[in-house]
Amino acid sequence: MPLVMIVTRDVADRYRGYLGSLMLEIAPAVYISPRMNQGVRSRTWSVLTDWHTTEPRGSLVMVWRDVNATGGVGIATLGTPPRELIDIDGLWLVQKPL
């Protein structure tokens, strides 16, 4: 069960309450869970995605250890500004859309 970290920016207050009930807020808008399994991580991200779809404000980034992903890190993002993650020779690079 790997460490999961979620960082929020300019989102509604309900995100803070929800994430605070599941994870430890180590800094403003930065949440971690040292032992969150894949099922809980998926359900948590599903809730955040549903909320962000109905109220598309701010942004969220979730990272976790994933040995099968580029660089051994799984990354999920929601919100603005939009970024595209590109795998170049086993490294993540970030590209802004044109």
Side-chain angles (χ1 to χ4, degrees):
M1 288 187 279
L3 174 80
V4 175
M5 181 172 70
I6 298 177
V7 179
T8 65
R9 185 177 62 91
D10 193 29
V11 294
D13 289 338
R14 69 179 173 174
Y15 291 87
R16 185 173 190 168
Y18 177 67
L19 290 172
S21 72
L22 297 172
M23 306 171 83
L24 177 63
E25 186 174 11
I26 59 167
V30 179
Y31 303 87
I32 65 164
S33 178
R35 291 183 289 280
M36 184 180 284
N37 65 40
Q38 191 275 333
V40 174
R41 185 180 72 235
S42 294
R43 288 189 297 276
T44 301
W45 192 250
S46 177
V47 168
L48 298 176
T49 300
D50 290 344
W51 287 356
H52 197 270
T53 300
T54 59
E55 186 181 357
R57 184 179 111 194
S59 64
L60 296 103
V61 176
M62 180 172 64
V63 296
W64 67 96
R65 182 173 180 256
D66 184 351
V67 295
N68 298 318
T70 299
V73 178
I75 302 172
T77 62
L78 290 171
T80 57
R83 301 282 194 256
E84 183 178 354
L85 299 172
I86 301 171
D87 175 8
I88 303 288
D89 294 330
L91 298 172
W92 283 115
L93 297 178
V94 178
Q95 176 181 1
K96 293 181 185 178
L98 299 174

